Amino acid sequence: RGCTPMHLAMTSQSVNVVRFIARRSPESLTPKTFHGLLPLHAACDYACPKAVRVLLKYGPASMIDDNDNATRETALHVAARRAASSKGADSLGHLRCVQLLVRAGSKGASMTDVLGLRPIVYAMRTNHAMLIGVLIVACPEDMTLLMNAQHKQV
């Protein structure tokens, strides 16, 4: 699937390996899989907020909102989708990834994926209140989307 050692480090959540590679080879933070996914996408997929923090520290700013991949998802889309569909500790790990990306200035909350969905839609589908709250802060105009959805339910 075109995974690099950095992508593989995410699957085992090896933060020390991620930090080691990032410090010695910052260019290893931007290669993509065959599907166009960055190591940052993988860190969000595997609920590894410590790795997200390392990648944001050492990687180029442009990678935070990169959506040049098969699904047109930013790392924020991946983390939000996984947070909305996960339970327990995994959900909290994904939520923490969302928080880190938002705090780092991700504009992904206002971007749509290949299905035309913004990250908040995943949170709304599962009524994930904490995730909705974080994403509203990132993209205040989503409040209108949220209000319209609630109005339709009444």
Side-chain angles (χ1 to χ4, degrees):
R1 302 210 260 170
C3 292
T4 65
M6 185 63 87
H7 287 92
L8 295 174
M10 300 310 158
T11 64
S12 61
Q13 298 189 355
S14 303
V15 178
N16 289 334
V17 172
V18 171
R19 189 175 296 110
F20 177 84
I21 295 171
R23 285 180 179 163
R24 283 160 183 77
S25 180
E27 66 278 359
S28 67
L29 304 180
T30 55
K32 297 180 177 187
T33 64
F34 291 139
H35 299 290
L37 301 175
L38 291 165
L40 184 59
H41 290 93
C44 292
D45 193 33
Y46 287 99
C48 195
K50 290 179 181 179
V52 168
R53 188 177 292 117
V54 171
L55 295 171
L56 291 174
K57 179 177 179 178
Y58 293 101
S62 61
M63 85 177 169
I64 194 169
D65 290 324
D66 185 307
N67 71 340
D68 187 17
N69 55 62
T71 58
R72 306 291 301 158
E73 289 183 310
T74 65
L76 187 61
H77 282 87
V78 173
R81 177 175 44 78
R82 299 283 283 145
S85 65
S86 300
K87 302 279 186 228
D90 276 347
S91 182
L92 291 176
H94 289 108
L95 180 64
R96 186 71 185 123
C97 291
V98 169
Q99 292 170 325
L100 289 168
L101 292 165
V102 167
R103 191 173 302 134
S106 174
K107 304 293 183 236
S110 63
M111 297 169 72
T112 57
D113 62 16
V114 73
L115 300 174
L117 303 177
R118 290 173 17 178
I120 196 162
V121 174
Y122 297 109
M124 290 168 52
R125 285 181 173 171
T126 59
N127 203 24
H128 194 305
M130 289 173 55
L131 182 56
I132 290 170
V134 173
L135 292 170
I136 289 292
V137 169
C139 187
E141 59 267 22
D142 277 343
M143 184 61 96
T144 304
L145 182 65
L146 182 61
M147 298 304 283
N148 287 341
Q150 288 178 341
H151 181 68
K152 288 179 184 178
Q153 290 178 357
V154 174

